[in-house]
């Protein structure tokens, strides 16, 4: 994870922790994958494979629980 996010890791971690704190643990467990689907990184057209770099939008994390 550190290699993937590099210097942006603290901001990404903070956004995800804020999202997690915004709901009860049981609710987070129930909807967690749907939240991920909401904010998962967009992979640019033409990029293929599991190693393809995507673009993560922190605002999508911040608004995922709303």
């Amino acid at each position: 994870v550190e290699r993937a996010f590099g210097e942006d890791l603290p901001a990404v971690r903070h956004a995800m922790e804020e999202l997690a704190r915004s709901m009860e643990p049981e609710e987070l467990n129930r909807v967690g994958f749907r939240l991920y689907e909401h904010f998962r990184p967009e992979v640019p057209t033409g990029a293929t494979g599991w190693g393809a770099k995507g673009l993560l939008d922190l605002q999508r994390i911040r608004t995922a629980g709303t």
Side-chain angles (χ1 to χ4, degrees):
V1 173
E2 288 179 25
R3 184 174 34 192
F5 291 114
E7 65 186 38
D8 294 322
L9 180 59
V12 172
R13 178 176 283 148
H14 179 74
M16 288 185 178
E17 288 173 348
E18 288 291 314
L19 175 59
R21 280 193 290 271
S22 74
M23 57 189 69
E24 295 295 321
E26 295 82 14
E27 178 72 1
L28 180 59
N29 186 52
R30 189 177 70 75
V31 300
F33 190 76
R34 281 183 289 207
L35 290 172
Y36 169 71
E37 289 176 321
H38 178 79
F39 65 74
R40 69 179 164 204
E42 297 291 327
V43 177
T45 303
T48 60
W50 285 103
K53 291 211 180 243
L55 304 172
L56 181 64
D57 181 350
L58 292 181
Q59 189 60 28
R60 291 179 77 178
I61 296 173
R62 293 181 184 114
T63 61
T66 59

